[in-house]
Amino acid sequence: MIRMINRAALMAGVIVMAAGMALAAETNMTGLAQHPCVLVNPEMVQGLRARAADTEPNRFGFSGAEVWQEHLALADKFLAAPPFHYRANMPTGVGTEPVVWEYTLSDEEPTRHPGINYPPWTGMTQEQRDDAITVRLKALSFAYLITGESKYAERAKQIALHVAAWEWWTDPDYGRGIACLDTGHITKCMGIFYDWCYDTLSEAERATIREAIAVRGCEAIMAGIDAYPPETNGYAVLAAGLGCGGIAIRPEDPRGGVYLQRAIDATSTSLDLSGSDGGLFEGPMYGTYLLDSLAHVLDAVVAADVDCGLMEHPFLQTMDEYVISQMAPDSHEMPCFGDGSPGRFYPETMSVLANAGNTAAAWYLGQIGQIRPRTIHQFMRFDPEALHPEQPTFDPSRTLVDVGLVSLKDGYAPHTPYLCMKSGPPETQVGHAHFDSNAIVVNFLGEWLIADRGYRARNNPPATKFTRGSMGHSTLVLDIDEAYRQDTTNPSPGHDQVSRAGARIEEFFSSEVIDYVRGEAAAAYNSDDLHVLDSFARQIFYLKPHFYVIVDDIAAPEEHAYTVTLQAPANGIIQRAEGDADAWVISGLTAKLDCFLASPAGLLTEAMTYPNAESYGSYLAATTERTANARIVTLLHPDTYDEGGLLANPGFEHGMVGWRPRANQDLPNHVIDEEVVHSGSASGRVDHSGYYYSGRIQVEPGDTVRATAWLKTEGVTKKGGTLRIHWWDTGNDCFATQSSAEAAPEDWTKLEVEGVAPEGTVGADIGLYFNDPTGVGWWDDATLEAEIDRVEIVREPASDVTPLEGGARGMAATVGAERLAVVTAGGPVDVGGATIEHDGAFAAVTFGEGGWRMLYLQGGTELSIDGNVVLTLPERATIAVWRDDAGEVHSKVHTSLAPHAEAVEADFTLHDAGG
């Protein structure tokens, strides 16, 4: 009842604003003032119709007619569909059954659900879904805009008049009783319908829909938008609704100019609150929702030729650098710290930039498979003559200090490792963030071998603590004991980070051969009531393209047992390496990560899962003895598999890890059998019907993929088993398969299949199928191999890994014919094959029989090998010097390691000693 009174009061205020107050506000009546004017203009419509009829392939290999037919098919589907119906299971708390909510579109408002704070209205109005009220409204209106066939407009009108009859355009039982995501989506799509189908409406229908857009949509948004932080997706969705709704009614109603200007101001404000050096605080998943909503404001003002200057906003000028620097080389995904998961983000906004002439944005669209328009908005702005994809020239190893992200990459080389660290934000508290400063993720061959746990768990306190807190991230936790594991306090002062702000990226250096970053996160562990840490400095070196060395320096006023963790992917395997107590291997689906850890304070390493959060996977924990100050050194070497091709668990010895069995009613048919095996200790059995899918690998059209697997069956009467290769496209759809012949052997028999990836392929996996009403099939010893035409994947193993003075002085390893080392400050130290001495904070070297290949000196003036000075500088600086394959010497010098410091011209001397 209180909520209804508040909403009634709000609506009364909205009506007052509609009557006069809105007209007193700042307005924008520049640009086009005739229909169509929302996202398109009359000239654009003619171009769209021509593109929809064009059957000639463009220079990207597809025709406009092909794409248009896909959109038209969606409209035809909705034309033939029954009235929109939505059903949702609304959670009500731990241990209780969800409440079913249902609604069929009509003039009646959606069903109330008092007392259950869940947003079913969002689910039925969100434009990102396959079917929603807004999706139908937009698809049908677009079909009419292009074809001129009234049947599409008439069906869209039915939807629009139902929605216009509602008293509210936001769920009265969810949130704070103000405009929400549903309001923004409805207002935008009602504006689109009103504008695109304007000529099919009677004057009375126009007045009804126009007033609904103004009062239920725009005025409600005007009253509620400032309740949302401008850097959040909710604010952006409302701004997009306000902009499109305002432009739609502006030719007939001057209030539209007020709404439009408010949308422009809101968009500018939101962009202003992004990171000053790039990036979005909410992360790329929620950031995509935010920016790709604001992209429709950009589209709207460009199409209507509105004078506002939004396209020149500073954030948009560097957005390509933010997105591309964060993108992993093979999967083309951006990592997502906090709530969310990795993905290919920002397609709409990058499409806006690409079609405006940004060549790096166009290149990015090609990498994520979004050159071909997938949405109505992309089709409307698509211009093949304006798109010129070019690989960027800027360095993709990059820091974003304001949002607290850094990427360490080997340029744009494919099949190379990628590490991203989060250290910050320094000041901004972010709603969807976790307690994860100085946490890392690592990607290799398209797989996150060190992973983020994604969305915080809900309704399971131990899992919530793990997924949201420091324990479930690859960072530092203090004094883990049984009491800590049993306590669900989140965060836990004295153990975990207690602030989601305060950490900072303090130093950064990048070159062709070595990257370096330092993040300081002690402030995230401290509060006004409890000072826990004096310092937690995480220093990471990337010796390209081989491995990462992490030097964690920790200091506290009291003694603690310090634990750093490496979080394996949910279906990964952690095993101790043979012959080394502190060497481990994290095995993923397609690649593995060799991990070597050491500390002069003593180190206990163990693979673990967190109690009541086991489904999130295992982690590697490295714990020191109790001490006030500690240094932990870690070497991470991503690698490929020697056996089993690209499969982590080819023989089911590790259970279902690495395999995805068929779900639903067939799930119980999948059994790990330890009695019937081809080799090893296990096989994957299928009783009657089911399959096992492997992990997916990245491939491109023309790549050859081969697979083998051993099959044995029993009791087969009709069918049997097949081995298949699945080809996957950018939409995550399996659009083609390659299959072996069906077989039902009573003895172990090797099945083989080979195929060439067809056009449109971005990934491949294999399926081990079995289907027979009475029979049983066993699968074992599968292999998956790919001939990659682009670049051969060559990874030399890391051997003779040596903690220097127990880790106090760094770490060294041999890769191929070269010895590589990261050496901390101190006197001479033997790195195995040479003695290194320097006067800086750190040094790194790569050398072999031909002498040194790379020298790195941080904050020093002199570096020596075997007592011979090889590098000197007149003043302290940070320098990388390297020889290319032709023997030519290159260098990069910084006098400051501040994150955005520029390289300088500086004198240095190379001496003959040491090569």
Side-chain angles (χ1 to χ4, degrees):
M1 181 61 68
I2 293 175
R3 187 185 303 274
M4 286 301 293
I5 291 173
N6 288 342
R7 292 182 63 84
L10 171 64
M11 204 62 196
V14 166
I15 293 170
V16 170
M17 291 179 68
M21 291 178 62
L23 295 181
E26 187 175 353
T27 188
N28 191 324
M29 297 298 288
T30 64
L32 187 64
Q34 67 181 66
H35 301 288
C37 57
V38 177
L39 306 175
V40 295
N41 55 49
E43 182 180 356
M44 289 176 63
V45 171
Q46 295 306 312
L48 286 169
R49 289 172 177 168
R51 189 175 305 145
D54 186 1
T55 59
E56 288 296 317
N58 56 41
R59 60 196 182 92
F60 298 107
F62 59 88
S63 70
E66 292 175 42
V67 179
W68 163 242
Q69 288 301 317
E70 295 169 2
H71 292 296
L72 185 61
L74 182 63
D76 287 336
K77 171 186 169 183
F78 293 146
L79 197 64
F84 178 82
H85 179 83
Y86 185 72
R87 175 189 172 102
N89 292 321
M90 300 188 297
T92 56
V94 181
T96 60
E97 290 295 320
V99 172
V100 176
W101 185 92
E102 293 187 80
Y103 174 70
T104 300
L105 181 62
S106 69
D107 287 356
E108 297 295 323
E109 283 193 333
T111 312
R112 297 292 303 273
H113 54 97
I116 302 177
N117 193 36
Y118 182 83
W121 284 45
T122 300
M124 68 177 186
T125 60
Q126 216 164 18
E127 296 165 73
Q128 291 78 6
R129 295 176 179 263
D130 293 333
D131 188 11
I133 294 171
T134 53
V135 173
R136 292 190 179 196
L137 196 56
K138 187 160 55 174
L140 291 163
S141 300
F142 190 54
Y144 171 72
L145 185 73
I146 302 303
T147 67
E149 295 185 37
S150 60
K151 61 183 180 180
Y152 298 110
E154 288 301 314
R155 179 55 64 88
K157 186 197 304 186
Q158 293 175 15
I159 297 172
L161 289 174
H162 284 319
V163 174
W166 297 355
E167 187 177 1
W168 318 105
W169 281 2
T170 190
D171 189 338
D173 296 311
Y174 175 71
R176 295 168 287 176
I178 58 175
C180 197
L181 297 175
D182 43 14
T183 321
H185 288 298
I186 293 171
T187 305
K188 178 169 70 175
C189 292
M190 287 288 281
I192 286 171
F193 162 75
Y194 176 81
D195 181 62
W196 293 356
C197 300
Y198 182 82
D199 62 349
T200 70
L201 302 174
S202 69
E203 285 299 331
E205 290 167 340
R206 291 170 181 171
T208 296
I209 293 171
R210 185 169 60 243
E211 192 65 11
I213 292 171
V215 176
R216 294 172 180 79
C218 293
E219 292 294 350
I221 294 173
M222 294 277 281
I225 189 171
D226 287 330
Y228 296 85
E231 68 274 18
T232 61
N233 57 292
Y235 187 91
V237 171
L238 293 175
L242 198 57
C244 291
I247 286 181
I249 68 172
R250 197 172 59 146
E252 294 79 41
D253 190 332
R255 289 176 294 180
V258 177
Y259 307 147
L260 171 60
Q261 185 58 47
R262 182 68 183 91
I264 292 169
D265 293 342
T267 301
S268 182
T269 298
S270 186
L271 295 177
D272 288 345
L273 292 177
S274 57
S276 62
D277 54 351
L280 292 176
F281 288 100
E282 289 276 1
M285 176 169 280
Y286 285 92
T288 294
Y289 200 177
L290 182 152
L291 273 185
D292 282 5
S293 296
L294 296 181
H296 299 158
V297 180
L298 302 177
D299 285 333
V301 298
V302 169
D305 196 25
V306 176
D307 184 13
C308 64
L310 278 180
M311 287 295 292
E312 287 72 49
H313 193 280
F315 175 79
L316 297 177
Q317 306 310 304
T318 61
M319 184 180 172
D320 56 348
E321 298 179 12
Y322 153 55
V323 174
I324 291 169
S325 69
Q326 286 283 296
M327 181 181 68
D330 289 307
S331 65
H332 309 302
E333 295 177 324
M334 296 173 67
C336 192
F337 293 92
D339 288 343
S341 55
R344 299 178 172 189
F345 296 116
Y346 306 110
E348 294 289 337
T349 311
M350 294 296 272
S351 172
V352 171
L353 299 179
N355 282 280
N358 186 313
T359 59
W363 178 84
Y364 173 78
L365 291 179
Q367 297 297 296
I368 67 170
Q370 293 279 351
I371 287 284
R372 181 188 177 104
R374 301 181 63 86
T375 68
I376 287 173
H377 298 276
Q378 290 171 354
F379 185 75
M380 287 191 295
R381 72 175 77 95
F382 176 70
D383 181 359
E385 300 307 315
L387 291 174
H388 299 284
E390 294 180 9
Q391 180 176 290
T393 57
F394 57 77
D395 185 356
S397 291
R398 184 166 296 262
T399 56
L400 304 167
V401 176
D402 258 15
V403 299
L405 293 174
V406 62
S407 55
L408 305 184
K409 306 171 74 172
D410 187 14
Y412 296 95
H415 319 311
T416 54
Y418 163 51
L419 182 147
C420 183
M421 180 173 74
K422 178 177 181 285
S423 190
E427 299 175 356
T428 304
Q429 295 279 355
V430 179
H432 286 288
H434 294 174
F435 297 93
D436 57 0
S437 284
N438 275 8
I440 62 168
V441 292
V442 174
N443 186 288
F444 181 53
L445 297 183
E447 185 171 12
W448 297 98
L449 296 174
I450 295 182
D452 186 89
R453 295 306 178 195
Y455 277 97
R456 72 192 74 182
R458 300 185 186 276
N459 302 324
N460 179 351
T464 301
K465 176 181 178 180
F466 182 71
T467 55
R468 181 173 180 253
S470 306
M471 190 68 242
H473 298 85
S474 297
T475 185
L476 173 71
V477 183
L478 285 66
D479 300 324
I480 300 173
D481 54 20
E482 193 57 32
Y484 170 83
R485 295 181 208 278
Q486 297 301 319
D487 182 9
T488 58
T489 303
N490 176 34
S492 181
H495 300 277
D496 302 332
Q497 296 173 27
V498 295
S499 174
R500 291 174 289 186
R504 179 182 296 272
I505 298 169
E506 294 185 332
E507 297 178 342
F508 178 73
F509 178 92
S510 177
S511 71
E512 290 184 24
V513 290
I514 187 170
D515 288 347
Y516 161 78
V517 67
R518 173 189 170 103
E520 173 56 65
Y525 294 81
N526 301 329
S527 66
D528 293 340
D529 299 325
L530 183 64
H531 181 88
V532 179
L533 290 179
D534 297 327
S535 177
F536 170 31
R538 171 158 279 186
Q539 295 134 137
I540 306 177
F541 300 84
Y542 180 19
L543 280 65
K544 303 180 183 181
H546 301 300
F547 56 69
Y548 300 94
V549 173
I550 303 172
V551 180
D552 290 325
D553 286 326
I554 310 157
E558 298 179 1
E559 290 187 346
H560 298 278
Y562 299 111
T563 299
V564 295
T565 68
L566 298 174
Q567 305 286 331
N571 55 2
I573 306 165
I574 303 179
Q575 297 173 289
R576 195 181 297 273
E578 294 183 7
D580 190 335
D582 293 324
W584 295 78
V585 179
I586 297 175
S587 298
L589 299 176
T590 59
K592 62 181 179 177
L593 184 69
D594 300 323
C595 310
F596 305 87
L597 303 102
S599 174
L603 205 63
L604 171 66
T605 56
E606 50 190 337
M608 309 181 72
T609 57
Y610 196 76
N612 297 307
E614 292 85 356
S615 64
Y616 289 92
S618 54
Y619 60 90
L620 178 60
T623 304
T624 68
E625 296 178 2
R626 294 189 65 83
T627 180
N629 302 325
R631 167 170 285 170
I632 301 173
V633 181
T634 305
L635 187 149
L636 302 175
H637 178 259
D639 205 353
T640 55
Y641 290 114
D642 297 327
E643 298 178 357
L646 296 168
L647 302 177
N649 182 24
F652 295 91
E653 273 71 29
H654 300 285
M656 297 285 186
V657 170
W659 296 100
R660 181 161 54 92
R662 188 175 186 181
N664 302 323
Q665 68 271 16
D666 278 344
L667 184 59
N669 300 347
H670 302 77
V671 179
I672 300 302
D673 195 321
E674 296 181 350
E675 295 183 1
V676 180
V677 301
H678 174 256
S679 70
S681 60
S683 67
R685 192 178 83 216
V686 179
D687 296 337
H688 311 313
S689 175
Y691 54 65
Y692 296 97
Y693 282 8
S694 74
R696 197 176 306 174
I697 62 172
Q698 272 67 48
V699 296
E700 290 186 358
D703 290 343
T704 298
V705 176
R706 298 185 186 90
T708 67
W710 290 81
L711 172 66
K712 171 184 169 66
T713 69
E714 183 178 282
V716 173
T717 57
K718 291 186 177 181
K719 295 188 177 182
T722 56
L723 170 63
R724 302 179 194 175
I725 298 172
H726 305 127
W727 307 113
W728 297 84
D729 63 16
T730 56
N732 200 35
D733 293 321
C734 176
F735 70 98
T737 62
Q738 205 94 20
S739 180
S740 71
E742 191 169 64
E746 294 183 357
D747 294 321
W748 286 106
T749 300
K750 186 177 184 180
L751 274 60
E752 301 181 72
V753 61
E754 177 178 315
V756 176
E759 285 300 319
T761 302
V762 298
D765 62 18
I766 62 172
L768 312 178
Y769 288 80
F770 181 79
N771 185 17
D772 186 82
T774 62
V776 177
W778 290 266
W779 290 99
D780 204 355
D781 296 332
T783 67
L784 173 61
E785 299 174 344
E787 291 184 5
I788 307 297
D789 293 335
R790 304 177 302 286
V791 178
E792 184 181 359
I793 303 175
V794 177
R795 294 289 293 177
E796 296 281 356
S799 62
D800 193 18
V801 178
T802 308
L804 306 179
E805 297 182 8
R809 297 297 310 283
M811 191 86 80
T814 297
V815 179
E818 293 183 326
R819 187 71 172 167
L820 305 93
V822 171
V823 181
T824 64
V829 61
D830 182 3
V831 301
T835 297
I836 306 299
E837 185 175 9
H838 64 94
D839 65 350
F842 290 95
V845 294
T846 301
F847 61 91
E849 292 183 0
W852 61 264
R853 185 180 68 85
M854 184 274 291
L855 305 172
Y856 172 80
L857 178 60
Q858 183 174 309
T861 62
E862 185 174 287
L863 174 63
S864 299
I865 300 177
D866 289 333
N868 300 308
V869 175
V870 295
L871 172 66
T872 56
L873 296 96
E875 298 179 349
R876 289 189 178 274
T878 298
I879 182 171
V881 185
W882 66 96
R883 292 191 177 104
D884 61 23
D885 292 339
E888 185 175 348
V889 174
H890 306 267
S891 65
K892 188 174 184 181
V893 181
H894 278 221
T895 54
S896 169
L897 287 176
H900 298 298
E902 297 287 338
V904 300
E905 294 291 333
D907 293 330
F908 65 92
T909 302
L910 289 175
H911 304 267
D912 290 338

